[in-house]
Amino acid sequence: MKHYEIVFLVHPDQSEQVPQMIDKYINIVKNGSGFVHRIEDWGRRQLSYPISKVHKAHYVLMNIECTIDVLREIENSFRFNDAVLRNLILCRSYAITSQSQIMKDRDNAKKKIAENELSSAIT
Amino acid sequence: MSDNNHSEINKQEFLNCDPEIDYKNLELLKSSILDGGRIIPGRITGMLPWKQRKVSNAIKIARFLALLPYTDHH
């Protein structure tokens, strides 16, 4: 089965539905006897240019291994879902499970904020 | 002459770093674009041609995903 990397942008007002959407897509892949190698929720990010008049969007990254039927099903669900602003599907030659650079930067930023809070609480 | 030195320095930097060229690697991509969002040409960065092509394609994907701007007029 082929490996795919999918990134999709969700409208920020529908951020609370993102976990449900992720579960739905994982179920689609598992029902089609595929594998999910990586799921990353980058959270709400500032966009470099407004898309559909919104300046922030909720990013989700998925690395999956599935058949073409499952991929078409996921593509269709993106097309008919108004909450999904944009989606990108890339082909990969192998499964990627390591953390992406964007997720690492987010974790580092969170750590820094936590450290600053600690140091300010001590002093 | 100064252009030659400039490209030599960048060449050494990129050859020594060897980062994974991906649209998610925003630090690498941001160092390959000008302030306005335009891609710096290969003859100025001094990158190997295959690397420059990879970086250019990664920048175009990142632009589509709004991780990088197309222009500064947004």
Side-chain angles (χ1 to χ4, degrees), chain A residues 5 7 42 45 47-49 59 86-88 90 92 100-102, chain B residues 22-27 61 63-70 74:
Chain A
E5 185 165 315
V7 183
W42 297 346
R45 286 179 64 101
L47 298 175
S48 307
Y49 52 89
Y59 282 77
R86 235 170 232 194
N87 66 87
L88 176 74
L90 296 170
R92 292 285 180 228
S100 68
Q101 193 61 39
I102 296 185
Chain B
D22 193 25
Y23 65 91
K24 300 186 279 288
N25 207 343
L26 291 180
E27 281 176 24
I61 293 175
R63 281 175 178 171
F64 174 71
L65 292 174
L67 299 168
L68 290 176
Y70 282 97
H74 294 305

Side-chain angles (χ1 to χ4, degrees), chain B residues 4-18 42 44-49 51:
Chain B
N4 209 8
N5 288 339
H6 185 67
S7 65
E8 278 301 316
I9 293 168
N10 277 323
K11 204 172 182 173
Q12 289 304 313
E13 269 183 41
F14 278 112
L15 285 177
N16 294 338
C17 294
D18 193 26
I44 296 184
T45 64
M47 271 204 268
L48 299 172
K51 266 193 181 171

Side-chain angles (χ1 to χ4, degrees), chain A residues 95-112:
Chain A
I96 303 174
T97 48
S98 54
Q99 223 187 20
S100 68
Q101 193 61 39
I102 296 185
M103 207 63 183
K104 284 183 194 167
D105 294 340
R106 267 172 61 91
D107 292 343
N108 287 342
K110 275 187 188 172
K111 270 188 196 171
K112 271 192 180 175

Side-chain angles (χ1 to χ4, degrees), chain A residues 14 22-23 36 44 49 53 57 75-78 95 102 123:
Chain A
Q14 270 98 43
I22 295 178
D23 288 334
V36 177
R44 259 184 243 176
Y49 52 89
K53 299 183 187 143
E75 254 184 282
N76 266 332
S77 68
F78 285 150
I102 296 185
T123 57

Side-chain angles (χ1 to χ4, degrees), chain A residues 18-101:
Chain A
V18 167
Q20 295 169 18
M21 287 167 72
I22 295 178
D23 288 334
K24 187 175 78 172
Y25 297 132
I26 293 178
N27 283 334
I28 293 176
V29 172
K30 289 196 173 155
N31 288 341
S33 58
F35 306 101
V36 177
H37 294 292
R38 170 168 75 168
I39 292 254
E40 278 185 12
D41 188 348
W42 297 346
R44 259 184 243 176
R45 286 179 64 101
Q46 180 76 21
L47 298 175
S48 307
Y49 52 89
I51 298 178
S52 303
K53 299 183 187 143
V54 294
H55 297 271
K56 288 195 173 191
H58 201 116
Y59 282 77
V60 178
L61 167 74
M62 290 198 317
N63 270 81
I64 61 176
E65 182 182 356
C66 63
T67 56
I68 192 73
D69 305 317
V70 172
L71 190 72
R72 293 260 182 269
E73 207 181 323
I74 296 180
E75 254 184 282
N76 266 332
S77 68
F78 285 150
R79 193 170 299 156
F80 297 117
N81 190 349
D82 290 335
V84 173
L85 296 172
R86 235 170 232 194
N87 66 87
L88 176 74
I89 301 176
L90 296 170
C91 232
R92 292 285 180 228
S93 37
Y94 54 89
I96 303 174
T97 48
S98 54
Q99 223 187 20
S100 68
Q101 193 61 39

